Amino acid sequence: MPRRSARPRYRIGLRTVKTGTAVMLALLVDSLRPSALPIFAAIGAIVVMSRTLSDAITAATTQLAGITCGALAGCLFTLLFPNDRYIAIGLGLILLIPLCQPLRIGFAVPLTCIVFVSVCLYDPASGSPIAYGINRFLDTSIGLSVGFVINAVLKPYNNYGLILRLFREYLAAYPPALRELLVNGHYPDLVPFEQKCRRLHDEIRIFAEQPFPHRQKRKQDAAYLWGCLQLAEKMHMALSVICSMDVLGMPNDTCRERLAQIGLDLPAAIPMPGLDEDSRVLSYHLKHLLDANTFLTEFLALPKT
């Protein structure tokens, strides 16, 4: 009987709450301004709600540059094609979209195009397209500002605990892998270790790039985490070398004792005993793996000031 797939869990996370709050406040603030079009404030609040504050700063500056580019292009094409707005929009988009990449505002292409089209479709009888473009710039700026403040004030993203949990999971995966290799004689799958190292690298980068709060302490913690990652990568490298051996050999007594300390008691004979030279190579790389394992375990156990 086929197993039923698990239902996706409905979950409202903090980032979702922050987004809803930011949009609500952006709409309220922008609606107090004359000539406002609050939908642009809502868009600004949404796009700036990034996972990290450094990403939020990048999003805000990119969107502001894109809005400026779209508004200026819209005013220009309305002057060049005053009676052919649809032609102006089509031709303008063809020229505007490729221009966003060299200007390094590729992330803001959708909003740039929206502002451009809205300026081109604006009825001149209702006022100046230039004034309309300025108002849309102000709308979006309000949304970006409110969204950034909410993102910074309401518990900024902190993945420090997640990184420590990933390190502990990484360490816990090594005894079963060594048991599979040294006891059962099967080469373990190294892909999960590579994926975990990449995940750790990405999460530490995110942690290190957060501009605040506690910039100096975050810098120190990031240096500590990068050091832990180097030990994790050293373990992976040693395991990769061992798995590349055609014949393993026998671990020496010191390695056997250290393996027993992490819960891996080897039998008297292993599946691929090999020659004395194989045993020396295995013990050499196994020592490097166990040394890195010990240092990483000790580092993770250190109290943080």
Side-chain angles (χ1 to χ4, degrees):
M1 183 178 180
R3 296 177 59 186
R4 293 183 178 180
S5 58
R7 292 183 178 179
R9 186 175 60 175
Y10 181 79
R11 179 175 176 271
I12 299 177
L14 178 61
R15 189 175 170 189
T16 303
V17 174
K18 292 164 69 172
T19 302
T21 304
V23 170
M24 176 186 67
L25 293 178
L27 292 173
L28 289 173
V29 172
D30 194 50
S31 63
L32 301 176
R33 194 179 61 84
S35 304
L37 194 58
I39 182 61
F40 284 92
I43 293 174
I46 292 171
V47 298
V48 81
M49 197 56 61
S50 301
R51 181 164 60 163
T52 67
L53 296 180
S54 58
D55 289 343
I57 293 173
T58 301
T61 55
T62 304
Q63 297 296 337
L64 288 175
I67 298 163
T68 303
C69 184
L72 292 176
C75 293
L76 175 62
F77 275 82
T78 55
L79 294 176
L80 295 176
F81 302 93
N83 300 318
D84 297 297
R85 289 185 294 176
Y86 296 159
I87 294 177
I89 292 172
L91 181 60
L93 290 175
I94 292 174
L95 298 176
L96 182 62
I97 293 175
L99 185 63
C100 291
Q101 293 300 332
L103 293 177
R104 297 185 179 181
I105 55 174
F107 177 71
V109 168
L111 189 55
T112 302
C113 294
I114 291 173
V115 172
F116 170 76
V117 172
S118 65
V119 172
C120 289
L121 291 177
Y122 184 66
D123 186 2
S126 302
S128 169
I130 296 177
Y132 179 81
I134 292 174
N135 279 311
R136 299 301 70 79
F137 177 86
L138 293 175
D139 290 332
T140 312
S141 298
I142 289 173
L144 291 170
S145 301
V146 172
F148 182 81
V149 170
I150 294 298
N151 202 6
V153 172
L154 292 184
K155 195 178 179 182
Y157 179 73
N158 187 352
N159 60 342
Y160 188 80
L162 171 63
I163 293 171
L164 294 183
R165 178 172 61 80
L166 290 174
F167 271 123
R168 294 188 180 98
E169 292 176 357
Y170 183 82
L171 285 173
Y174 271 87
L178 291 173
R179 180 180 299 278
E180 186 72 14
L181 179 65
L182 299 176
V183 177
N184 300 329
H186 302 148
Y187 290 102
D189 185 7
L190 298 181
V191 173
F193 296 95
E194 297 171 2
Q195 293 175 339
K196 190 74 74 175
C197 282
R198 286 197 297 268
R199 173 81 185 280
L200 282 165
H201 181 278
D202 293 341
E203 292 293 339
I204 296 173
R205 178 190 59 80
I206 291 172
F207 177 84
E209 290 179 355
Q210 285 277 50
F212 54 84
H214 312 303
R215 180 190 295 268
Q216 188 59 35
K217 184 178 185 303
R218 183 176 292 270
K219 184 177 180 181
Q220 296 172 356
D221 289 341
Y224 154 79
L225 292 174
W226 286 123
C228 291
L229 180 61
Q230 289 180 345
L231 291 172
E233 291 174 338
K234 185 176 181 181
M235 292 177 63
H236 175 251
M237 185 179 301
L239 182 61
S240 299
V241 173
I242 294 174
C243 289
S244 68
M245 298 175 63
D246 293 330
V247 179
L248 293 179
M250 293 286 290
N252 59 30
D253 293 339
T254 302
C255 288
R256 283 178 173 271
E257 292 175 1
R258 297 184 66 181
L259 287 170
Q261 293 174 1
I262 63 173
L264 182 58
D265 293 316
L266 297 184
I270 64 173
M272 294 180 284
L275 304 175
D276 291 342
E277 182 179 356
D278 298 317
S279 298
R280 286 193 295 270
V281 173
L282 172 64
S283 298
Y284 174 82
H285 292 291
L286 200 54
K287 177 183 180 299
H288 282 286
L289 189 155
L290 293 171
D291 286 344
N293 177 84
T294 300
F295 291 143
L296 181 54
T297 303
E298 292 175 352
F299 282 178
L300 293 176
L302 289 175
K304 298 297 170 290
T305 58

